[in-house]
Amino acid sequence: IFFRQSGSSFHVFDQGQFAKEVLPKYFKHNNMASFVRQLNMYGFRKVVHIEQGGLVKPEKDDTEFQHPYFIRGQEHLLENIKRKVTSVS
């Protein structure tokens, strides 16, 4: 994992290694898709880079995520990260 210098996002450069070594330490699984689903439920979004008018395709295993309240050095903002509530209609 690498945090952007600004502290506003984080990268997972090698999803396979991340799933194998990091996820089992903190979750009951080692499934990257499940981890991404959890991030999405809490409002994290994948960062898509646009350069020179076109989408730049990242490396296959390089994924970047951000959340407006997930900022390095701003621990007091973490309490604002909550699971999204789905409305039943």
Side-chain angles (χ1 to χ4, degrees):
I1 295 181
F2 171 77
F3 288 90
R4 185 173 282 284
Q5 189 171 356
S6 67
S8 62
S9 66
F10 68 94
H11 283 258
V12 175
F13 285 109
D14 185 336
Q15 293 181 20
Q17 184 177 3
F18 179 79
K20 188 170 113 178
E21 296 177 13
V22 177
L23 290 182
K25 289 182 182 179
Y26 302 98
F27 299 94
K28 295 178 182 177
H29 64 79
N30 64 351
N31 187 320
M32 187 67 186
S34 294
F35 176 68
V36 171
R37 196 173 310 113
Q38 287 289 318
L39 287 175
N40 290 334
M41 278 197 281
Y42 283 86
F44 283 80
R45 291 291 170 242
K46 187 185 261 189
V47 176
V48 177
H49 294 281
I50 300 175
E51 291 181 15
Q52 301 170 344
L55 291 176
V56 175
K57 185 173 177 150
E59 294 297 320
K60 182 180 177 191
D61 280 348
D62 180 8
T63 308
E64 182 178 0
F65 298 96
Q66 68 85 32
H67 188 287
Y69 296 123
F70 188 78
I71 302 171
R72 180 183 20 208
Q74 303 292 318
E75 290 85 6
H76 65 282
L77 295 176
L78 294 175
E79 67 189 36
N80 297 313
I81 300 175
K82 299 183 184 336
R83 187 172 175 159
K84 291 181 178 181
V85 179
T86 57
S87 59
V88 178
S89 40

